[in-house]
Amino acid sequence: MASVTISPGAAGFGQGVEASVIGLPAVDFSLTLRRPFHVLGGGNNVPERYTSDLWLARGYGYTGTWGYRSATGNVIKVWQLGGGGAPTLVGADTIPNVTTVSDLQVSPDSSLLVATGEYGNGAGLYVYSLTDPAHPALVAQWSVANATGGLHTGTLATIDGHLYAFTARDPSAPSLLTFRIQPDSPAVIVPVDSIPMPANYGIHDTFVRDGLLFVENWNSGLWIYDIGGGGQGGAPDHAVLLGSVVTQGGEVHNAWWFHDPVTNEKKYVFVGQEGPDVIGASSDGDIHVVDVSDLSAPVEVAHFHLADNAGPHNFWMDEQREILYAAYYNGGVVALDVSGTLQGDLGSRLIARIAPGGANNTYVWGVMLYGGSLYAADMVSGFWQLQVP
């Protein structure tokens, strides 16, 4: 049986993970839940590579690729989206000298696509013009000097009229690197800040909202920085640490700060714990809920555990409906009711769950709402469009 060992720092995985897609165990998805998901189309459309991150804008979807399957994960796939049905592949862009496109995002004004690359000489940050959204055109790149690890993830935010990328240098050499992206012709990438992070399997992801930066720092926990909205003089080029918390079990991978439209509260941050993973077969970890009413002293107040040997990777939220969507690797896609007060075990909050590729063909990396549908990037079975419950 062929397999590959993923070293610490591999995009989206824990330490010492063995990856294999042969001889997968069956998973029972026959639970009767409150409302069902439905597959609208897609899937089994990236057989040669493992699919990684996704982003959707202007009627198009962009998906990354990871590691090595039967081809190297150095490609960004471009998809045309329909109202209901299979996304159509319309193009692909190769990033030379990398083996993983670990993260990608479209700028808030939909003019640029920004991707992070890992594992290769010169891996780093890549900026594409979306003047023609079906054919992204590379207009700038910034390489991590003297390192092959590159950038693990990146998050875009417009602050005071400027576009910034908050990126995580590969966990094997952890630091938070912040860039200002100037949409000149050609575009210019300007490093503005670099903050060393603990060598405790390092920084994995970032989340930015309302002038706060949330850094997911693995076993060192969730760190919260003022970059303009925390009242402590912070800015994108001068982040000020406000507080931190180590959630139960550590392995802090990703986060989402929830703005509740019903209560107008902004007190909860959802944290994903990423334990050891085997591609296509198993994963581990829980969703943890942190109360950030006091940014200097955040505290964990609730958690959600999914059985069936599955753990979360990335989130998306429908805040108007107060639903958290979680990509749960071999556990598929999970929908949780996050309305009201959140305390203790949230097991009763499970609304719906789906394995879009089937029990032996599902390993969902990320999800995103767009145009009334939920789209899922599945490492094994590709790119899916789902009807939300």
Side-chain angles (χ1 to χ4, degrees):
M1 179 173 67
S3 64
V4 58
T5 299
I6 304 167
S7 301
F13 287 88
Q15 300 189 47
V17 179
E18 182 184 88
S20 174
V21 293
I22 300 175
L24 306 182
V27 181
D28 181 9
F29 287 92
S30 60
L31 296 174
T32 300
L33 301 176
R34 299 191 208 175
R35 302 190 293 271
F37 276 108
H38 295 290
V39 172
L40 295 176
N44 301 315
N45 44 21
V46 192
E48 82 288 359
R49 290 176 169 87
Y50 294 121
T51 297
S52 60
D53 197 30
L54 80 165
W55 201 268
L56 313 166
R58 297 173 63 185
Y60 289 88
Y62 307 93
T63 59
T65 49
W66 178 92
Y68 186 85
R69 196 172 188 178
S70 61
T72 301
N74 60 353
V75 170
I76 297 172
K77 304 267 188 174
V78 183
W79 309 83
Q80 188 167 18
L81 308 178
T88 303
L89 184 66
V90 295
D93 288 274
T94 299
I95 300 179
N97 303 318
V98 302
T99 61
T100 286
V101 181
S102 51
D103 209 0
L104 42 78
Q105 185 175 341
V106 173
S107 61
D109 67 359
S110 298
S111 67
L112 299 173
L113 171 67
V114 179
T116 55
E118 288 187 281
Y119 305 111
N121 186 22
L125 192 67
Y126 305 85
V127 178
Y128 296 82
S129 168
L130 293 181
T131 299
D132 179 355
H135 300 95
L138 184 65
V139 292
Q141 84 178 71
W142 187 93
S143 300
V144 177
N146 303 317
T148 60
L151 297 178
H152 189 63
T153 56
T155 299
L156 301 181
T158 300
I159 301 173
D160 293 332
H162 297 285
L163 179 65
Y164 292 92
F166 299 87
T167 71
R169 184 167 174 179
D170 186 87
S172 61
S175 59
L176 172 70
L177 301 180
T178 303
F179 303 89
R180 185 174 67 251
I181 300 175
Q182 299 174 182
D184 301 326
S185 184
V188 179
I189 301 172
V190 181
V192 297
D193 200 9
S194 176
I195 303 175
M197 291 291 158
N200 193 1
Y201 196 36
I203 176 176
H204 277 253
D205 210 343
T206 54
F207 184 90
V208 180
R209 191 170 196 178
D210 290 357
L212 296 184
L213 168 64
F214 298 84
V215 175
E216 289 74 67
N217 236 332
W218 205 245
N219 287 332
S220 296
L222 177 73
W223 293 20
I224 307 171
Y225 286 87
D226 173 16
I227 55 171
Q232 299 300 313
D237 59 356
H238 177 63
V240 175
L241 183 64
L242 299 175
S244 65
V245 61
V246 179
T247 48
Q248 184 69 34
E251 301 172 322
V252 173
H253 172 268
N254 64 297
W256 188 292
W257 182 23
F258 176 39
H259 291 192
D260 191 322
V262 176
T263 65
N264 293 318
E265 291 181 325
K266 303 175 182 179
K267 66 184 296 185
Y268 294 127
V269 173
F270 296 92
V271 175
Q273 174 192 359
E274 183 185 20
D277 320 289
V278 179
I279 296 178
S282 65
S283 54
D284 188 49
D286 292 335
I287 296 174
H288 302 269
V289 185
V290 173
D291 186 331
V292 294
S293 300
D294 181 353
L295 292 170
S296 67
V299 59
E300 182 173 350
V301 294
H303 69 277
F304 174 80
H305 174 76
L306 186 69
D308 299 327
N309 199 24
H313 187 240
N314 282 327
F315 301 150
W316 197 267
M317 289 204 68
D318 184 340
E319 295 193 335
Q320 291 303 310
R321 299 176 66 208
E322 300 176 289
I323 296 175
L324 172 71
Y325 294 104
Y328 248 91
Y329 278 146
N330 55 296
V333 180
V334 165
L336 291 181
D337 170 8
V338 294
S339 62
T341 301
L342 303 179
Q343 293 180 338
D345 185 351
L346 302 182
S348 64
R349 299 295 193 106
L350 183 61
I351 296 172
R353 180 180 171 195
I354 189 172
N360 294 333
N361 193 41
T362 291
Y363 212 69
V364 182
W365 172 293
V367 290
M368 181 175 175
L369 279 172
Y370 181 80
S373 295
L374 186 70
Y375 290 83
D378 189 301
M379 293 192 74
V380 176
S381 61
F383 187 41
W384 295 89
Q385 182 179 5
L386 307 175
Q387 180 179 321
V388 296

